Amino acid sequence: QVQPVESGGGSVQAGGSLRLSCDTSGYEYSSECMGWFRQVSGKAREGVADIDSDGTTTYADFVKGRFTISKDTAKNRLDLQMNNLEPEDSATYYCAADPRACTVVVLSGYTYLEVRGQGTLVTVSS
């Protein structure tokens, strides 16, 4: 049985919290830029947060102050703590990696080279 890469999604009410986790052990570029993006069917991908090889983190304006990205190299994990969730945060969230600097990935429209999972669905009800 294939283990999911991303986990932690679910259904919550607005104002609630979720913590997403990504198993990075299968990623070739886990030591480079890693991040989370989200996508709703029929809509463009949205970058959410990323963390560069030096630990620098970047957040999309619409999640600043609410989401926190963190990486635990020893545990092969990339987490996304999501607080004060809003219905607009409903989407499938994906973990991704890229050998380029995160600033380049962002400018490219979040075209991460490695996306290995099926995503984890987050549903926020009002």
Side-chain angles (χ1 to χ4, degrees), residues 69-122:
I69 188 171
S70 60
K71 187 166 78 170
D72 188 330
T73 303
K75 295 182 179 179
N76 292 318
R77 270 181 54 172
L78 180 76
D79 289 348
L80 184 69
Q81 177 66 43
M82 307 188 296
N83 298 328
N84 195 21
L85 283 159
E86 303 169 352
E88 294 74 21
D89 295 319
S90 298
T92 299
Y93 285 71
Y94 298 87
C95 168
D98 198 285
R100 301 169 293 176
C102 285
T103 51
V104 176
V105 175
V106 170
L107 289 173
S108 75
Y110 301 95
T111 54
Y112 290 95
L113 183 64
E114 280 192 295
V115 182
R116 293 188 175 273
Q118 300 300 311
T120 186
L121 180 64
V122 172

Side-chain angles (χ1 to χ4, degrees), residues 55-78:
T56 301
T57 57
T58 307
Y59 297 91
D61 286 342
F62 51 78
V63 303
K64 280 182 180 176
R66 300 189 298 123
F67 291 11
T68 303
I69 188 171
S70 60
K71 187 166 78 170
D72 188 330
T73 303
K75 295 182 179 179
N76 292 318
R77 270 181 54 172
L78 180 76

